[in-house]
Amino acid sequence: MPGENLSRDEAQERAALLSVDGYDVSLDVRSAVGDTSEGRGDGPRTFRSVTTIRFRCTDPGATSFADLIAPSVTAVSLNGKDLDPREVFDGSRIRLEDLAAENELVVDAQCAYSRTGEGLHRFVDPEDGEVYLYTQYEPADSRRVFANFEQPDLKAPFRFEVRAPEGWTAWSNGTGELADGVWRFAETKPISTYITAIVAGRYHYVTDAYERVFEDGTRLEIPLGAMCRRSLARYFDTDDVFLVTKQGLDFFHDHFDYPYPFGKYDQAFVPEYNLGAMENPGMVTFTENYIFRGRVTQASYERRANVILHEMAHMWFGDLVTMVWWDDLWLKESFADFMGSFALVEATRFTNGWITFANGRKAWAYRADQLSSTHPVTADIRDLEDAKLNFDGITYAKGASVLKQLVAYAGREAFLEGSRRYFKRNAYGNTRLGDLLTVLEETSGRDMAAWSRAWLETAGVNSLTPQVVLGDDGRIAELAVVQEAPASHPELRPHRVVLGLYRNEAGTLVRYAKAETDVSGERTVVAELSGAEAPDLVLVNDEDLTYCKIRFDEPSLATLKSGLGDIADPLARALCWSALWNMTRDALLPARDFIDLVLRFAGRESDIGVLQMLHAWANTALTHYVAPDWRKPGGRLLAEGALRELRRAEPGSQHQLTWARFFAAVASAPADLQLLRGLLDSTAKIDGLEVDQELRWAFLGPLSAHGAVDETVLAAELRRDDTASGKRHQVRCLASRPSAAVKAQSWAQVVESDALSNALVEATIAGFAQPTQRELTAPYAEKYFAAIERVWADRSIQIGMDVVRGLYPSLQAPEETLASTESWLTTHETAAPALRRLVLEARDDLARALRAQGRDAMAGPA
């Protein structure tokens, strides 16, 4: 039988054969405490899992299978008949023969605690020794915790019970009660396996409540909870978490006309989490990175609020109504990404959320949509490995961008009414693309099939460029928009856009005219703007209605080069920054010119999220896109500019903090490193800059990478911050030291051993790959290609992804690496498709970097 990688064909065959009436799952996790070694004897640490599944079969006598990934199975019975586990269990599936019309399967297994964030993850807090458990399943890791039918369209009610160590509390999707040493949870509504959840341990737990009275007088009460590790409790600002939660519940109840259907609403912030969050109904899990140990900017609070609202939107899009198979993953992720920003702007204090969306989320989409692995929003997902990789910038950010345009195209109320009908017609069921298009066509009167073909069923991103012809009177005689598409994805799409005309008024670039119109085909004339005064700047996707790469005509580009910081509107300014970054990535603008724009205008940027993105882009440009001989002078200019802005920033402001972090990221000169040391030991000072523990680690990163501190300093810092976060920081800093022995040790720890947890694997990889240590890591390029197929086969998919992406040798001899990549792809045509996809994407990024370096080299000498 095939192994862990369930295919779409297998899932379709099983769904046609089986329907599930319910699950009873009993977990005994008392083994989580005690001996702190990973396992007892030679195997992994395990827990007992007993599952009873009641299901029906449309073809009595047929054969099917249940899913389970476990070190061992103690007993299996089907319809009262004991089966020999050695004969029916192959490590990932339980063969079920001679099925009856109605069936009961009981599986008693020893399942393994996870150290990779997949399944039931076990974490020991280094501060106090407390043990914490939580589950993470998407797309298909619930089978690591209990036997089941692991596919989204075989929904069923679940009853969980958990035997936990004395003094622990356990949580699940439903409300729980402790009796006779067992936590028993209320039966869930019909849900998919991947959104069931268990959290257990001595968590710090805070409660609140949400109440709402509807127009008909009915009252809805939702118990709220928020939890984290006890050692993080002093940092946990639950008041703000609950505030955003209540604002979100108000917003979605106002617009969805479908009361929250899952009873309670707990939110757990958990350690060593691979994702940002997961939408388990009634038991949402988040990375504990959203609990801030040090001072952060408003952008961090906005990001957390957006994630809270994104997951909440899933309660309707994804949990109440779920896709049939992962092909239609966008039916939950695109909607949640869009609705998260929509609710953020309209229901919370973060009213500039669309700026963050335009500048940050869409950048993720633009990159993904220009890789050779790009795909339509509605993707072709052949199996679970495909599904895992499709939690990407297309499914999330491009899909959300397309929905934002759909709202402009179909109308806001038509879109929301379509959503309401979608929920009511498909509650607790599974849907495909056509189910959504049907209701949207009803409410909007638009041809949704044509819109879907253009936007959901084709890949690639269009570029829109303005063409301005001036008349003899100096006014616009004709303004047209030219649409282009890459040869690989030649689809020209209909775009709803706003064209903004800007001119300089007393030193400020302001919009004096606009036209909202539909653009289609190769060239569209915008008659509404004929006769307008000549602009200094034409912005073709003003207000960010559509999904496209913005281009500029020559006068507009010249205006931006001389006065980008003069644009008054923050969204328009962010759109221009994004467009210039896309031009840099596309080798249309020299990377050093982009860095120059950052140096001249970033200090005037008011939006802190945009400023942080500019810093990230400038660093990427320096690392990957500038000509090699300009890296040192470019780095020196960035460090000088960052220090200048750091000293200019208002003392104690979030801008000062942001510039301090960026200065640390680009510091390399002895004087800069000496300043960082001085800020750490208080022999230097910048007025208003508080160097808290998180900022101390930010400063120690470059000091470690440049050999300015050794392991004794890092050990002392860990004693000062002997926490889970401190350990991750120390591991990253240790791996970043400029030593061949250090690199060899780091490589062995990640590639040749599975002793590290997922969080420490990530930290080690981050330290290993330093842009200033290209020669030190050059010997690992050949080793990388020799190791990745074995790593992919032997390790979990999450660790495999981390290794293949994080250790790709993009910094070492790029031409040779590109050739080695092509050779590996040619000689490994039968490698796992998901592995090949990761290597192809790394190749694409490297090829793009080489093109950008070539363009930058044309800009002049170093």
Side-chain angles (χ1 to χ4, degrees), residues 521-585:
E522 294 182 0
R523 190 172 187 273
T524 302
V525 175
V526 185
E528 300 96 306
L529 293 175
S530 295
E533 293 182 15
D536 295 315
L537 167 68
V538 181
L539 187 55
V540 295
N541 187 29
D542 210 351
E543 302 182 20
D544 195 38
L545 297 187
T546 195
Y547 170 79
C548 71
K549 290 195 291 188
I550 297 171
R551 302 300 198 207
F552 302 105
D553 61 356
E554 287 300 324
S556 295
L557 186 58
T559 296
L560 292 174
K561 287 182 175 181
S562 62
L564 174 54
D566 298 331
I567 299 175
D569 180 72
L571 176 56
R573 195 170 58 246
L575 290 169
C576 290
W577 277 117
S578 177
L580 292 166
W581 177 241
N582 276 322
M583 291 175 65
T584 304
R585 294 185 72 250

Side-chain angles (χ1 to χ4, degrees), residues 205-210 222-226 238-239 242-243 246 265-266:
Y205 184 59
V206 182
T207 61
D208 202 335
Y210 171 84
I222 304 174
L224 305 178
T238 54
D239 286 348
F242 286 136
L243 172 64
K246 293 175 184 178
Y265 200 82
D266 282 325

Side-chain angles (χ1 to χ4, degrees), residues 215-267:
E215 292 182 358
D216 63 1
T218 58
R219 179 181 296 274
L220 175 67
E221 296 184 6
I222 304 174
L224 305 178
M227 68 192 80
C228 70
R229 290 186 289 124
R230 290 189 168 199
S231 58
L232 283 178
R234 63 189 181 274
Y235 305 113
F236 198 14
D237 52 336
T238 54
D239 286 348
D240 193 50
V241 170
F242 286 136
L243 172 64
V244 173
T245 300
K246 293 175 184 178
Q247 290 170 331
L249 287 168
D250 273 339
F251 178 85
F252 292 123
H253 283 122
D254 286 343
H255 292 88
F256 285 171
D257 191 31
Y258 197 108
Y260 172 71
F262 297 110
K264 70 180 180 70
Y265 200 82
D266 282 325
Q267 297 175 97

Side-chain angles (χ1 to χ4, degrees), residues 746-816:
S746 299
W747 178 271
Q749 289 174 330
V750 170
V751 177
E752 307 301 337
S753 168
D754 63 356
L756 296 180
S757 70
N758 55 325
L760 297 186
V761 165
E762 182 181 354
T764 304
I765 290 173
F768 179 90
Q770 295 296 315
T772 57
Q773 298 171 359
R774 296 169 193 260
E775 295 79 9
L776 268 178
T777 54
Y780 295 93
E782 184 177 349
K783 294 180 180 180
Y784 170 89
F785 291 108
I788 54 175
E789 196 165 24
R790 170 177 53 82
V791 168
W792 190 262
D794 294 347
R795 308 288 282 278
S796 76
I797 189 169
Q798 182 63 50
I799 298 298
M801 290 166 60
D802 291 343
V803 169
V804 175
R805 284 174 170 158
L807 293 180
Y808 180 78
S810 61
L811 300 176
Q812 299 84 29
E815 291 86 357
E816 289 86 344

Side-chain angles (χ1 to χ4, degrees), residues 496-523:
R496 186 72 177 175
V497 300
V498 170
L499 282 92
L501 304 185
Y502 290 75
R503 65 187 173 201
N504 192 305
E505 295 182 1
T508 302
L509 280 167
V510 296
R511 188 172 72 182
Y512 65 93
K514 74 168 188 175
E516 183 170 338
T517 189
D518 291 319
V519 169
S520 60
E522 294 182 0
R523 190 172 187 273

Side-chain angles (χ1 to χ4, degrees), residues 66-80:
D67 300 296
L68 176 68
I69 299 175
S72 66
V73 172
T74 306
V76 179
S77 71
L78 177 63
N79 299 328

